[in-house]
Amino acid sequence: MTRPQPSSALSNLKVLDLTRVRAGPTCCRVLADFGADVIKIEAPPGVDPNEGMSGTRHGFDMQNLHRNKRSLTLNLKTPDGLAVFMKLVETADIVVENFRPDVKDRMGIGYEALKAVNPRIILASISGFGQDGPYRTRAGFDQVAQGMGGLMAITGHPGEGPMRAGIAVADSAAGLYAATGILVALAERERSGEGQWVHTSLLQAQIAMCDFQAAVYTVDGKVPPQNGNDHPNATPMGVVPTKDGHINVAVGGEGQWKAFCRAIARTDLASHPDFLSAPKRFANRPKLREILEAIFRTEVSAVWLDRLEAEGVPAGPIYRMDEVFADPQVQHLEMAVPINHHARGDIRLIAQPVVLSRTPAGIATPIAEAGEHTDEILREAGFDQAAIAKLKTDKIV
């Protein structure tokens, strides 16, 4: 049977996906959406003590994370199950896992073991805190990484205590960094002919995502504070209340400041001694904020957005999620991709946000049922029907 292809970009690659929850599946989703044959390896029912930790199979999260993958059930805790896995490794390009660092070596599927079977294999490992060091065996979760990576201390309003971000920043970033590392390793393999071990962690990814806020400390020695909805270094750049809600404004340079003053019909502010330069505006931010809030509360958001757009001032609405997908630009970008699932019917999943002109990503199949492709994958690996039947009898698959 011909497998539906979401893209031809990575269709020459076979990926063994041992991941669960979010960071690892995010990495594998990138590869799957660009056409790699991603085989999601799952424990048979009753084998995994944390079964169900990723949510219900037909739920929104699993649907979105595990599209475009085939499913194989396999008990890796048995010698026969490990032997089947190593047989698959022989012809695979990539293995992705997000166990605690000590687990894969205890299971016998660390990089050196995989490399002995297939020197071209790329192992991508995602952990909570790194593959070595004092925290290597700790279990990692996104909110813990947000706290340890500095994000929660700079998020929220001043004086109100730490605040988590509304999305799984560390998980998602770690998955994307791992995918980037895999693609770098694949490019290098074209030259050397050898695979390598790629690894990242939630903690590393979260610190990297803090970017300029982290560099404020490492370069200048300053600890960045909470700024609420205001930009930490520029003003007016942040949220302003309107007559019927809130909008974002982002005034960058002096030209935009003057255009902003025209848009709000307060050209006198452009020449006010307290606001003549970006440093002065920042130093007098409380005073400027008070003036602007009074002005913006006089009209509804749509009026202000039209006026700011007319003057070329960056601004935008602040949407609820239903409003996001109703926006004409979002619809034009096709960020919600329709797919049919046998149990859920017609649903929409979130598209990849990067566009390739010749080999774009796609969503060809919804999440597979557990073990849906077990026989097919084993036959491809060289197991005959009798061998497959015995594996089933022995509860290996």
Side-chain angles (χ1 to χ4, degrees):
M1 181 184 298
T2 302
R3 187 172 69 92
Q5 286 291 110
S7 173
S8 61
L10 301 179
S11 60
N12 60 314
L13 299 176
K14 181 181 290 185
V15 181
L16 304 181
D17 176 6
L18 296 171
T19 70
R20 58 186 177 181
V21 190
R22 183 166 315 284
T26 296
C27 170
C28 293
R29 177 175 61 189
V30 174
L31 306 176
D33 286 359
F34 280 101
D37 179 13
V38 176
I39 298 171
K40 178 174 169 56
I41 297 175
E42 310 177 68
V47 171
D48 184 356
N50 294 312
E51 187 175 326
M53 185 169 65
S54 299
T56 59
R57 193 170 198 90
H58 294 165
F60 62 91
D61 204 18
M62 293 280 279
Q63 292 283 352
N64 200 48
L65 282 170
H66 297 292
R67 73 274 187 112
N68 290 333
K69 302 177 184 180
R70 296 195 287 171
S71 175
L72 164 73
T73 51
L74 184 62
N75 187 352
L76 288 171
K77 296 182 178 180
T78 65
D80 287 344
L82 181 61
V84 171
F85 178 74
M86 286 303 192
K87 181 68 175 174
L88 296 174
V89 169
E90 291 177 7
T91 57
D93 295 280
I94 302 153
V95 174
V96 186
E97 59 88 15
N98 60 350
F99 301 120
R100 288 197 313 270
D102 57 318
V103 171
K104 60 180 167 296
D105 291 323
R106 189 168 67 244
M107 294 174 67
I109 57 173
Y111 176 62
E112 293 301 324
L114 302 184
K115 180 182 177 182
V117 172
N118 179 358
R120 290 175 56 83
I121 200 73
I122 293 166
L123 171 63
S125 299
I126 305 171
S127 62
F129 303 97
Q131 294 297 310
D132 44 36
Y135 302 161
R136 69 183 295 264
T137 59
R138 290 186 183 182
F141 283 89
D142 177 83
Q143 186 158 338
V144 175
Q146 284 193 31
M148 291 182 66
L151 180 62
M152 291 177 67
I154 58 174
T155 303
H157 292 286
E160 293 187 2
M163 177 67 67
R164 70 180 291 273
I167 59 170
V169 179
D171 271 342
S172 297
L176 295 174
Y177 280 125
T180 301
I182 288 169
L183 296 175
V184 171
L186 285 167
E188 193 280 336
R189 192 178 72 175
E190 290 296 308
R191 185 170 65 250
S192 69
E194 295 183 32
Q196 56 184 305
W197 187 18
V198 174
H199 51 90
T200 188
S201 68
L202 272 62
L203 182 58
Q204 288 167 288
Q206 182 59 81
I207 294 170
M209 288 297 287
C210 283
D211 197 36
F212 74 92
Q213 291 281 48
V216 167
Y217 173 71
T218 61
V219 176
D220 290 344
K222 298 178 181 178
V223 177
Q226 292 171 302
N227 285 284
N229 286 320
D230 288 325
H231 191 278
N233 303 319
T235 197
M237 190 174 292
V239 175
V240 292
T242 67
K243 194 173 184 178
D244 64 345
H246 298 81
I247 63 171
N248 275 314
V249 297
V251 179
E254 295 306 314
Q256 285 187 1
W257 167 242
K258 292 175 182 176
F260 175 79
C261 292
R262 291 194 301 270
I264 64 173
R266 286 293 304 271
T267 54
D268 60 301
L269 293 177
S271 57
H272 194 289
D274 288 343
F275 311 134
L276 274 175
S277 66
K280 288 186 175 182
R281 290 192 293 276
F282 191 75
N284 294 292
R285 180 157 68 179
K287 179 179 180 179
L288 180 57
R289 181 192 296 116
E290 185 178 355
I291 293 170
L292 295 181
E293 286 189 358
I295 294 170
F296 275 87
R297 288 186 190 277
T298 63
E299 289 285 3
V300 297
S301 297
V303 169
W304 287 121
L305 291 172
D306 286 344
R307 291 180 183 178
L308 293 165
E309 173 68 19
E311 291 289 348
V313 178
I318 298 174
Y319 285 150
R320 299 186 311 270
M321 201 58 71
D322 57 338
E323 295 170 312
V324 171
F325 290 99
D327 185 276
Q329 182 64 26
V330 175
Q331 292 181 353
H332 172 79
L333 294 171
E334 298 181 334
M335 285 302 298
V337 181
I339 191 80
N340 182 269
H341 183 266
H342 71 89
R344 295 294 303 266
D346 292 331
I347 58 176
R348 295 185 298 165
L349 303 176
I350 310 306
Q352 287 292 337
V354 60
V355 179
L356 276 67
S357 61
R358 289 191 298 104
T359 57
I363 300 177
T365 58
I367 185 173
E369 294 301 320
E372 181 178 333
H373 304 97
T374 294
D375 287 19
E376 174 183 295
I377 293 165
L378 292 176
R379 284 195 300 269
E380 291 170 0
F383 293 86
D384 61 24
Q385 203 55 46
I388 295 172
K390 186 175 189 309
L391 289 170
K392 290 182 177 179
T393 299
D394 295 343
K395 301 188 183 306
I396 305 302
V397 299

